[in-house]
Amino acid sequence: MSTDNRAVVIEDFLQKIRLINQRGVDREALEHIVTLLEDLAERRDLFNFEHFPAPVPGQGSTAFRYRLNDDGDTPTLYLNSLLPGKSTLAHNHETWAIISAVEGQEINYVYRRSDEGHEPGFTSLHLEREVIVQPGTSISFLGEDLHGIKVEGEQATLHFHLYGLPLESLNGRYGVDAQGRILNYNASQMAPSIKAC
């Protein structure tokens, strides 16, 4: 399958998402977008490890993020590949977000934040639920929802990440470290995307 065909499929998908986004995204809209993204994840002829390789174990990087469109401040689609053992701090997204799997499993830990009794710049997190994102099981978030992830097992992941705005433009994202300290997530945790558009 040619990259031209992939670009057409991505653009067709994103046009549908832009229409939903213009009306405003709430939890109900997220459910509709999840269905569309899961349909896209079934296109393994276009989205697979052959076209979007996983990092090579032992060669430095444990995560690749491929940016699949680059059209300004609109919904942005990425394809992430994480190696087993990869995890993140709990963090928000500052915009709505959905993760859908093409290959592999990723444990998502969803948290609730409590600042009560803490000094500024610190918080407590309370685990609300765990979701294993895998083919057919996605997860969605509004901007202030918090989650962290971990990849276990022996298989790398290949997962779509769809955001209401490009990650690279979100300067207000924050993460929470093990001591409860609040950090700027993009500045302290985020590696650059690989342009694949």
Side-chain angles (χ1 to χ4, degrees):
M1 189 63 69
S2 77
T3 56
D4 289 343
N5 290 339
R6 185 182 303 113
V8 168
V9 169
I10 291 170
E11 183 54 30
D12 180 59
F13 167 78
L14 287 170
Q15 285 198 17
K16 295 172 189 168
I17 304 307
R18 289 182 198 111
L19 289 173
I20 298 168
N21 195 53
Q22 287 172 359
R23 296 189 296 264
V25 175
D26 57 12
R27 298 229 185 254
E28 185 177 334
L30 284 174
E31 289 178 22
H32 181 55
I33 298 170
V34 163
T35 300
L36 295 171
L37 191 56
E38 286 181 350
D39 288 346
L40 189 66
E42 291 178 3
R43 293 295 310 267
R44 288 180 178 85
D45 57 320
L46 298 175
F47 306 103
N48 53 57
F49 287 121
E50 180 183 349
H51 295 106
F52 299 95
V56 177
Q59 291 192 4
S61 184
T62 57
F64 286 165
R65 182 177 55 253
Y66 298 94
R67 185 169 172 166
L68 301 180
N69 69 303
D70 193 6
D71 46 5
D73 288 338
T74 66
T76 305
L77 182 63
Y78 302 86
L79 199 53
N80 285 12
S81 182
L82 308 178
L83 292 180
K86 175 68 176 173
S87 62
T88 68
L89 297 178
H91 59 278
N92 76 335
H93 296 102
E94 197 183 352
T95 186
W96 59 265
I98 298 171
I99 305 170
S100 291
V102 177
E103 299 282 350
Q105 295 183 336
E106 169 187 292
I107 303 169
N108 276 253
Y109 303 95
V110 181
Y111 297 97
R112 177 177 42 85
R113 176 177 166 172
S114 172
D115 294 350
E116 190 172 325
H118 287 279
E119 62 183 274
F122 286 82
T123 191
S124 290
L125 297 180
H126 305 279
L127 182 64
E128 290 194 322
R129 62 192 167 105
E130 293 181 18
V131 176
I132 297 177
V133 174
Q134 57 191 344
T137 303
S138 299
I139 192 166
S140 61
F141 306 97
L142 293 175
E144 284 309 306
D145 294 341
L146 290 163
H147 82 130
I149 64 99
K150 184 170 185 181
V151 177
E152 294 184 337
E154 302 193 6
Q155 181 184 4
T157 65
L158 192 63
H159 289 185
F160 281 117
H161 287 229
L162 176 65
Y163 299 93
L165 294 166
L167 284 176
E168 294 84 357
S169 71
L170 302 176
N171 297 319
R173 292 178 74 204
Y174 68 88
V176 180
D177 71 13
Q179 291 74 43
R181 184 176 46 223
I182 299 168
L183 310 168
N184 181 300
Y185 193 81
N186 278 18
S188 66
Q189 306 295 311
M190 198 173 97
S193 297
I194 300 167
K195 302 251 184 200
C197 52

Short mmCIF file of all heavy atoms in Angstrom, two decimals, residues 142-178:
data_model
loop_
_atom_site.label_atom_id
_atom_site.label_comp_id
_atom_site.label_asym_id
_atom_site.label_seq_id
_atom_site.Cartn_x
_atom_site.Cartn_y
_atom_site.Cartn_z
N LEU A 142 -10.66 13.66 28.72
CA LEU A 142 -10.81 15.10 28.54
C LEU A 142 -9.52 15.76 29.05
O LEU A 142 -8.67 15.09 29.64
CB LEU A 142 -12.05 15.62 29.27
CG LEU A 142 -13.37 15.13 28.69
CD1 LEU A 142 -14.55 15.60 29.55
CD2 LEU A 142 -13.55 15.60 27.24
N GLY A 143 -9.37 17.05 28.82
CA GLY A 143 -8.10 17.72 29.02
C GLY A 143 -7.47 17.59 30.40
O GLY A 143 -6.25 17.49 30.51
N GLU A 144 -8.26 17.59 31.46
CA GLU A 144 -7.69 17.55 32.81
C GLU A 144 -7.65 16.15 33.40
O GLU A 144 -7.18 15.97 34.53
CB GLU A 144 -8.44 18.50 33.73
CG GLU A 144 -8.05 19.97 33.50
CD GLU A 144 -6.54 20.19 33.52
OE1 GLU A 144 -5.86 19.81 34.52
OE2 GLU A 144 -6.00 20.72 32.54
N ASP A 145 -8.15 15.15 32.68
CA ASP A 145 -8.05 13.78 33.17
C ASP A 145 -6.57 13.39 33.26
O ASP A 145 -5.74 13.84 32.45
CB ASP A 145 -8.75 12.81 32.21
CG ASP A 145 -10.26 13.03 32.16
OD1 ASP A 145 -10.81 13.65 33.10
OD2 ASP A 145 -10.88 12.57 31.19
N LEU A 146 -6.24 12.57 34.24
CA LEU A 146 -4.85 12.18 34.50
C LEU A 146 -4.68 10.67 34.31
O LEU A 146 -5.51 9.88 34.77
CB LEU A 146 -4.46 12.52 35.94
CG LEU A 146 -4.32 13.99 36.28
CD1 LEU A 146 -4.35 14.18 37.79
CD2 LEU A 146 -3.04 14.53 35.71
N HIS A 147 -3.59 10.31 33.64
CA HIS A 147 -3.26 8.89 33.54
C HIS A 147 -1.74 8.73 33.42
O HIS A 147 -1.02 9.66 33.09
CB HIS A 147 -3.95 8.24 32.33
CG HIS A 147 -3.24 8.44 31.03
ND1 HIS A 147 -2.94 7.40 30.17
CD2 HIS A 147 -2.75 9.56 30.43
CE1 HIS A 147 -2.32 7.87 29.10
NE2 HIS A 147 -2.19 9.17 29.22
N GLY A 148 -1.28 7.53 33.72
CA GLY A 148 0.09 7.11 33.46
C GLY A 148 0.01 5.76 32.80
O GLY A 148 -1.02 5.07 32.88
N ILE A 149 1.06 5.36 32.13
CA ILE A 149 1.02 4.08 31.41
C ILE A 149 2.23 3.23 31.75
O ILE A 149 3.27 3.72 32.22
CB ILE A 149 0.93 4.28 29.87
CG1 ILE A 149 2.19 4.98 29.31
CG2 ILE A 149 -0.31 5.07 29.51
CD1 ILE A 149 3.18 4.04 28.69
N LYS A 150 2.09 1.93 31.48
CA LYS A 150 3.21 1.00 31.58
C LYS A 150 2.99 -0.11 30.55
O LYS A 150 1.88 -0.60 30.38
CB LYS A 150 3.31 0.40 32.97
CG LYS A 150 4.52 -0.51 33.13
CD LYS A 150 4.76 -0.93 34.55
CE LYS A 150 6.05 -1.72 34.62
NZ LYS A 150 6.34 -2.19 35.96
N VAL A 151 4.06 -0.49 29.87
CA VAL A 151 4.01 -1.60 28.92
C VAL A 151 4.72 -2.79 29.57
O VAL A 151 5.89 -2.68 29.95
CB VAL A 151 4.68 -1.23 27.58
CG1 VAL A 151 4.69 -2.42 26.64
CG2 VAL A 151 3.98 -0.04 26.96
N GLU A 152 3.98 -3.88 29.70
CA GLU A 152 4.56 -5.10 30.26
C GLU A 152 4.62 -6.16 29.16
O GLU A 152 4.27 -5.90 28.02
CB GLU A 152 3.72 -5.57 31.45
CG GLU A 152 3.76 -4.60 32.62
CD GLU A 152 3.01 -5.10 33.83
OE1 GLU A 152 2.11 -5.96 33.68
OE2 GLU A 152 3.32 -4.63 34.94
N GLY A 153 5.07 -7.34 29.52
CA GLY A 153 5.12 -8.44 28.55
C GLY A 153 6.36 -8.35 27.69
O GLY A 153 7.38 -7.79 28.08
N GLU A 154 6.26 -8.90 26.46
CA GLU A 154 7.42 -8.99 25.59
C GLU A 154 7.21 -8.35 24.23
O GLU A 154 8.13 -8.32 23.42
CB GLU A 154 7.80 -10.47 25.41
CG GLU A 154 8.11 -11.13 26.74
CD GLU A 154 8.78 -12.48 26.60
OE1 GLU A 154 9.12 -12.86 25.48
OE2 GLU A 154 8.97 -13.12 27.64
N GLN A 155 6.01 -7.81 23.96
CA GLN A 155 5.71 -7.24 22.65
C GLN A 155 5.69 -5.72 22.71
O GLN A 155 5.11 -5.12 23.62
CB GLN A 155 4.34 -7.75 22.17
CG GLN A 155 3.97 -7.22 20.80
CD GLN A 155 2.57 -7.65 20.37
OE1 GLN A 155 1.84 -8.29 21.11
NE2 GLN A 155 2.20 -7.26 19.17
N ALA A 156 6.31 -5.10 21.73
CA ALA A 156 6.21 -3.64 21.58
C ALA A 156 4.77 -3.29 21.22
O ALA A 156 4.02 -4.10 20.68
CB ALA A 156 7.15 -3.15 20.49
N THR A 157 4.39 -2.06 21.53
CA THR A 157 3.06 -1.58 21.17
C THR A 157 3.13 -0.80 19.86
O THR A 157 4.18 -0.28 19.48
CB THR A 157 2.48 -0.64 22.24
OG1 THR A 157 3.29 0.55 22.30
CG2 THR A 157 2.43 -1.30 23.61
N LEU A 158 1.99 -0.71 19.21
CA LEU A 158 1.78 0.21 18.10
C LEU A 158 0.36 0.74 18.30
O LEU A 158 -0.61 0.02 18.04
CB LEU A 158 1.94 -0.49 16.75
CG LEU A 158 2.02 0.44 15.53
CD1 LEU A 158 3.25 1.34 15.60
CD2 LEU A 158 2.02 -0.36 14.24
N HIS A 159 0.27 1.96 18.83
CA HIS A 159 -1.02 2.52 19.24
C HIS A 159 -1.22 3.90 18.64
O HIS A 159 -0.29 4.72 18.62
CB HIS A 159 -1.08 2.66 20.77
CG HIS A 159 -1.17 1.35 21.49
ND1 HIS A 159 -1.33 1.28 22.85
CD2 HIS A 159 -1.14 0.06 21.05
CE1 HIS A 159 -1.40 0.01 23.23
NE2 HIS A 159 -1.27 -0.74 22.15
N PHE A 160 -2.44 4.15 18.19
CA PHE A 160 -2.81 5.50 17.79
C PHE A 160 -3.03 6.35 19.02
O PHE A 160 -3.65 5.91 19.99
CB PHE A 160 -4.12 5.49 16.98
CG PHE A 160 -3.95 5.10 15.56
CD1 PHE A 160 -4.56 3.95 15.07
CD2 PHE A 160 -3.21 5.87 14.68
CE1 PHE A 160 -4.43 3.57 13.74
CE2 PHE A 160 -3.06 5.51 13.36
CZ PHE A 160 -3.68 4.35 12.89
N HIS A 161 -2.53 7.59 18.96
CA HIS A 161 -2.84 8.62 19.94
C HIS A 161 -3.41 9.79 19.15
O HIS A 161 -2.73 10.34 18.28
CB HIS A 161 -1.58 9.06 20.69
CG HIS A 161 -1.07 8.05 21.67
ND1 HIS A 161 -0.75 8.39 22.97
CD2 HIS A 161 -0.85 6.72 21.56
CE1 HIS A 161 -0.34 7.29 23.61
NE2 HIS A 161 -0.39 6.27 22.76
N LEU A 162 -4.63 10.15 19.46
CA LEU A 162 -5.32 11.25 18.78
C LEU A 162 -5.60 12.33 19.81
O LEU A 162 -6.16 12.04 20.87
CB LEU A 162 -6.63 10.75 18.16
CG LEU A 162 -7.51 11.79 17.49
CD1 LEU A 162 -6.83 12.39 16.26
CD2 LEU A 162 -8.86 11.18 17.10
N TYR A 163 -5.21 13.56 19.49
CA TYR A 163 -5.36 14.69 20.42
C TYR A 163 -6.12 15.83 19.74
O TYR A 163 -5.98 16.05 18.53
CB TYR A 163 -3.99 15.20 20.86
CG TYR A 163 -3.17 14.17 21.59
CD1 TYR A 163 -2.27 13.37 20.90
CD2 TYR A 163 -3.32 13.96 22.96
CE1 TYR A 163 -1.53 12.39 21.56
CE2 TYR A 163 -2.58 12.99 23.62
CZ TYR A 163 -1.69 12.21 22.91
OH TYR A 163 -0.97 11.25 23.56
N GLY A 164 -6.86 16.57 20.54
CA GLY A 164 -7.60 17.72 20.02
C GLY A 164 -6.71 18.80 19.47
O GLY A 164 -7.11 19.56 18.58
N LEU A 165 -5.49 18.89 19.95
CA LEU A 165 -4.47 19.84 19.49
C LEU A 165 -3.13 19.11 19.43
O LEU A 165 -2.95 18.09 20.13
CB LEU A 165 -4.36 21.03 20.45
CG LEU A 165 -5.58 21.95 20.53
CD1 LEU A 165 -5.47 22.87 21.74
CD2 LEU A 165 -5.70 22.76 19.25
N PRO A 166 -2.18 19.62 18.66
CA PRO A 166 -0.87 18.95 18.61
C PRO A 166 -0.18 18.94 19.97
O PRO A 166 -0.17 19.97 20.68
CB PRO A 166 -0.07 19.80 17.62
CG PRO A 166 -1.07 20.61 16.86
CD PRO A 166 -2.25 20.79 17.77
N LEU A 167 0.39 17.82 20.34
CA LEU A 167 1.13 17.74 21.61
C LEU A 167 2.20 18.80 21.72
O LEU A 167 2.45 19.36 22.79
CB LEU A 167 1.79 16.37 21.74
CG LEU A 167 0.90 15.19 22.09
CD1 LEU A 167 1.73 13.91 22.08
CD2 LEU A 167 0.25 15.39 23.44
N GLU A 168 2.85 19.07 20.60
CA GLU A 168 3.97 20.02 20.60
C GLU A 168 3.53 21.43 20.98
O GLU A 168 4.36 22.25 21.36
CB GLU A 168 4.64 20.02 19.23
CG GLU A 168 5.32 18.71 18.87
CD GLU A 168 4.39 17.65 18.28
OE1 GLU A 168 3.16 17.87 18.18
OE2 GLU A 168 4.90 16.58 17.92
N SER A 169 2.24 21.73 20.87
CA SER A 169 1.75 23.09 21.17
C SER A 169 1.22 23.22 22.59
O SER A 169 0.81 24.31 22.99
CB SER A 169 0.63 23.46 20.18
OG SER A 169 -0.55 22.72 20.45
N LEU A 170 1.21 22.14 23.37
CA LEU A 170 0.55 22.14 24.67
C LEU A 170 1.55 22.40 25.79
O LEU A 170 2.13 21.47 26.34
CB LEU A 170 -0.18 20.82 24.87
CG LEU A 170 -1.22 20.49 23.80
CD1 LEU A 170 -1.81 19.12 24.03
CD2 LEU A 170 -2.30 21.56 23.76
N ASN A 171 1.72 23.65 26.13
CA ASN A 171 2.73 24.03 27.13
C ASN A 171 2.22 23.93 28.56
O ASN A 171 2.99 24.07 29.50
CB ASN A 171 3.24 25.44 26.85
CG ASN A 171 3.94 25.51 25.51
OD1 ASN A 171 4.69 24.59 25.15
ND2 ASN A 171 3.68 26.56 24.75
N GLY A 172 0.91 23.70 28.74
CA GLY A 172 0.35 23.61 30.08
C GLY A 172 0.17 22.19 30.58
O GLY A 172 -0.39 21.98 31.66
N ARG A 173 0.64 21.22 29.84
CA ARG A 173 0.55 19.83 30.32
C ARG A 173 1.43 19.67 31.55
O ARG A 173 2.53 20.22 31.63
CB ARG A 173 1.04 18.86 29.24
CG ARG A 173 0.16 18.78 28.04
CD ARG A 173 0.75 17.84 27.01
NE ARG A 173 0.60 16.47 27.43
CZ ARG A 173 1.38 15.46 27.03
NH1 ARG A 173 2.39 15.70 26.21
NH2 ARG A 173 1.17 14.24 27.43
N TYR A 174 0.96 18.88 32.50
CA TYR A 174 1.78 18.64 33.69
C TYR A 174 1.80 17.16 34.02
O TYR A 174 0.91 16.39 33.63
CB TYR A 174 1.28 19.46 34.89
CG TYR A 174 -0.06 19.04 35.43
CD1 TYR A 174 -0.17 18.05 36.40
CD2 TYR A 174 -1.24 19.64 34.96
CE1 TYR A 174 -1.40 17.66 36.88
CE2 TYR A 174 -2.47 19.25 35.44
CZ TYR A 174 -2.55 18.25 36.41
OH TYR A 174 -3.79 17.87 36.89
N GLY A 175 2.85 16.77 34.71
CA GLY A 175 2.99 15.43 35.22
C GLY A 175 3.20 15.48 36.71
O GLY A 175 3.51 16.55 37.27
N VAL A 176 3.03 14.36 37.38
CA VAL A 176 3.20 14.28 38.83
C VAL A 176 4.18 13.16 39.11
O VAL A 176 3.96 12.00 38.71
CB VAL A 176 1.85 14.01 39.53
CG1 VAL A 176 2.05 13.93 41.04
CG2 VAL A 176 0.82 15.09 39.17
N ASP A 177 5.29 13.50 39.78
CA ASP A 177 6.30 12.48 40.06
C ASP A 177 5.95 11.68 41.31
O ASP A 177 4.92 11.93 41.96
CB ASP A 177 7.71 13.09 40.11
CG ASP A 177 7.97 13.96 41.33
OD1 ASP A 177 7.17 13.95 42.31
OD2 ASP A 177 9.00 14.66 41.34
N ALA A 178 6.79 10.73 41.67
CA ALA A 178 6.49 9.82 42.78
C ALA A 178 6.39 10.53 44.11
O ALA A 178 5.73 10.03 45.03
CB ALA A 178 7.57 8.73 42.84
#
